[in-house]
Amino acid sequence: MLIRLVIAWLLGIVVADMLTPSLVLMWSIAGGALVGVGLFHRQPNLRLIALLALVGSLGGLRYQTAIPPPGADHVAMLIGRGEQTMIGWVAADPRRSDDGQRLVLQIEAVRVGNEARRAEGLVQLTVAPYPAYHYGQRLFVTGALQQPRLAERPGSFDYRAYLAHRGIFAILNQPAKLTVLEGDVGVPPLRMLLQFREHCRQLMIRMLPEPQAAIGVGILLGIQSSIPDETYTTFSVTGTSHILVVSGWNFTIVATLLAGVATRLRMGRGSALGLALSVMWIYAFFTGASAAVLRAAVMASLAAIGRAADREREPWHLLAGGCGLLTIADPHALWDVGFQLSALATASLFAFARPIEQRLARHRPFTWAVFAPLSEAFTATMAAQVLTLPLILYQFGNLSLVAPLANILLVPIVPYAMAACTLALLAGLLWLPLGQLLGPLAWLPVAWLTEGARVLAMPAWAATQIPPFPLWIMLGYYGLILAGWMRRLRSVP
């Protein structure tokens, strides 16, 4: 029942986005469905239909009220009206790259002449790489607001819709004037956490050489801004870029490896699960606890709990409940590619990890004890790709032909690299020379990752670009996979 209700909730969100019905109509459907639930209490089938309609209409209502349309005081009303002067504060951790910084500015006021009047809404700013800005800073900004760009073709990436799902309707590239005002705002604990993470980043840079320092910072702290483009490209070509970002894919695979290692050490199911959950959530808060990171941690936690559960249907109830709760908190998360990949990777592990593991267990060299870590990595990687690869190809078009081999050779090293970097960082926090002394211990596994990705990306055939394909092909693939999986379930005695 829970799975059906969650599916109805998600469909309600999607339908509300596609058709944009009025609130009056949505409330009318919800009221009618509620009456139907009471009237059909002796007719289970009709009662179920009414209940699903009620949940679906509530999902649509939650979506429509999550980000209300811009009002008269919204900063989006100033788009196309020339240069504007605004006052606001940095509402999220800036995204930095070699080319610049992207800031999400929560607008407080707009200056008209010599007077400031109240304003609201978010603006995405693109500014120079330096000076570096941080969460909570109050800024005085002057520039002309623009609308984000639309999709170039049907089915391609729609940047305007992407930002709209985050409540951003206006952008400002390279403002004419930008001044930092006195006093920081925002949530004090989050501000302190992000400042501490920046301090840790500076320590890592002083303890490791490049590019290993940048990779260590990306793996441990979730900051990719300092990773050289050439190095990032090698990980993308080899299908291992999930190692460098704090994503559901990264959380899920690392959690699976930790659970497998703990089980082989005979820690017991509860201890193995506790180890995986503890490491994941400590890691999530240490990397800044952004919405994307917390969603990834939730999905990976569900994967770990699901693998530890005895009952066959329990993992699917956990996954459905997790998706439902995340979309109740933020229904626009349904359009986040990170959320989609996290959910698909978790579902793929639930459905295909054990069959792949059982098949590998009958063949050499996976039957040898020395290959146990490789077996765990290969199982997790191949199982996750069954459902995530089509979405990756549809969104990005990059097919890595060396991804299975790269994941076997690189993914098992990730927990060791994280552990070694953590040890060196803790030592550096106590005394920098001690951290620099332990730096070589962290350099070795991180160097394995960087050099391994570089060598595997060298062949010209390592990756190929898939031409864009229509959405129905991807949906058809998922339909065939679902039909085959359900047929297999029916054949199991």
Side-chain angles (χ1 to χ4, degrees):
M1 176 61 77
L2 175 62
I3 295 177
R4 293 178 181 179
L5 293 177
V6 172
I7 292 175
W9 171 270
L10 298 179
L11 286 176
I13 294 175
V14 173
V15 170
D17 176 73
M18 294 175 60
L19 303 180
T20 318
S22 65
L23 288 176
V24 174
L25 176 61
M26 295 298 296
W27 279 115
S28 300
I29 294 174
L34 181 60
V35 172
V37 171
L39 290 177
F40 300 129
H41 64 280
R42 294 185 179 180
Q43 298 173 281
N45 291 336
L46 293 178
R47 186 172 184 270
L48 176 60
I49 293 174
L51 182 60
L52 295 177
L54 173 62
V55 173
S57 60
L58 292 177
L61 286 168
R62 176 68 184 98
Y63 171 79
Q64 290 185 319
T65 58
I67 300 180
D73 293 333
H74 200 282
V75 69
M77 298 295 104
L78 301 176
I79 294 175
R81 297 188 179 182
E83 197 169 83
Q84 304 291 331
T85 299
M86 298 162 288
I87 299 173
W89 58 280
V90 181
D93 192 29
R95 298 180 60 183
R96 300 182 177 90
S97 66
D98 293 338
D99 298 329
Q101 303 173 74
R102 285 187 177 178
L103 316 178
V104 176
L105 199 65
Q106 177 69 58
I107 301 301
E108 298 175 332
V110 176
R111 179 162 294 180
V112 180
N114 295 325
E115 296 183 358
R117 64 178 178 85
R118 180 184 173 277
E120 61 183 15
L122 301 174
V123 174
Q124 178 176 278
L125 266 64
T126 302
V127 298
Y130 298 100
Y133 299 94
H134 61 260
Y135 168 80
Q137 273 187 316
R138 298 184 70 245
L139 303 178
F140 182 92
V141 184
T142 300
L145 295 173
Q146 299 175 337
Q147 276 190 317
R149 66 178 184 274
L150 289 169
E152 296 181 356
R153 59 178 178 81
S156 64
F157 180 68
D158 191 336
Y159 194 53
R160 184 177 298 180
Y162 170 82
L163 291 180
H165 285 302
R166 287 152 182 79
I168 302 173
F169 299 95
I171 62 175
L172 176 54
N173 297 322
Q174 303 302 332
K177 185 178 181 180
L178 180 57
T179 305
V180 177
L181 302 177
E182 293 184 359
D184 286 352
V185 293
V187 182
L190 179 57
R191 190 168 63 243
M192 294 174 60
L193 181 62
L194 294 175
Q195 290 172 353
F196 176 66
R197 185 176 68 155
E198 176 61 22
H199 175 64
C200 292
R201 186 184 75 87
Q202 296 292 341
L203 286 178
M204 292 285 291
I205 292 174
R206 298 179 66 180
M207 291 187 298
L208 291 173
E210 293 291 358
Q212 284 73 34
I215 298 299
V217 167
I219 292 174
L220 192 61
L221 305 179
I223 302 174
Q224 292 83 45
S225 58
S226 57
I227 298 177
D229 291 341
E230 182 180 355
T231 302
Y232 197 93
T233 300
T234 62
F235 281 88
S236 178
V237 168
T238 56
T240 54
S241 55
H242 57 83
I243 291 175
L244 305 178
V245 297
V246 184
S247 65
W249 181 294
N250 194 10
F251 267 112
T252 301
I253 291 180
V254 172
T256 303
L257 290 174
L258 286 172
V261 170
T263 302
R264 293 180 186 279
L265 293 176
R266 300 180 181 180
M267 294 179 61
R269 182 174 297 178
S271 299
L273 178 60
L275 173 65
L277 294 179
S278 299
V279 170
M280 281 191 295
W281 282 99
I282 291 173
Y283 181 42
F285 282 99
F286 189 64
T287 52
S290 65
V293 169
L294 293 179
R295 284 200 302 265
V298 168
M299 300 308 297
S301 298
L302 294 175
I305 295 172
R307 287 176 64 86
D310 289 326
R311 290 183 292 178
E312 183 71 23
R313 294 187 178 183
E314 191 67 26
W316 298 103
H317 289 151
L318 289 169
L319 177 60
C323 291
L325 289 174
L326 288 171
T327 50
I328 288 174
D330 179 15
H332 295 270
L334 199 58
W335 282 265
D336 187 282
V337 176
F339 172 81
Q340 296 168 6
L341 289 174
S342 296
L344 288 174
T346 305
S348 204
L349 284 171
F350 288 166
F352 305 109
R354 287 183 179 175
I356 293 176
E357 185 178 19
Q358 292 170 357
R359 179 161 296 186
L360 291 178
R362 296 194 296 265
H363 300 282
R364 297 178 181 178
F366 297 104
T367 56
W368 302 343
V370 68
F371 280 92
L374 299 182
S375 177
E376 292 283 349
F378 189 76
T379 298
T381 301
M382 297 306 295
Q385 286 197 2
V386 173
L387 295 183
T388 57
L389 183 59
L391 179 61
I392 292 172
L393 295 179
Y394 178 77
Q395 292 286 354
F396 309 109
N398 184 56
L399 175 61
S400 174
L401 302 180
V402 297
L405 177 61
N407 279 275
I408 289 176
L409 296 178
L410 301 184
V411 169
I413 307 300
V414 173
Y416 302 104
M418 292 177 64
C421 288
T422 301
L423 181 62
L425 179 57
L426 291 174
L429 289 170
L430 294 174
W431 188 37
L432 180 58
L434 179 60
Q436 292 173 329
L437 182 65
L438 297 179
L441 295 178
W443 175 86
L444 186 59
V446 177
W448 176 278
L449 297 176
T450 54
E451 291 303 305
R454 184 184 65 81
V455 171
L456 290 170
M458 289 176 64
W461 49 265
T464 183
Q465 196 69 20
I466 301 297
F469 55 88
L471 179 63
W472 66 264
I473 292 181
M474 182 180 70
L475 296 179
Y477 170 86
Y478 285 129
L480 291 175
I481 290 293
L482 178 61
W485 178 69
M486 295 182 67
R487 181 179 179 183
R488 184 181 66 84
L489 284 183
R490 287 194 295 266
S491 65
V492 176

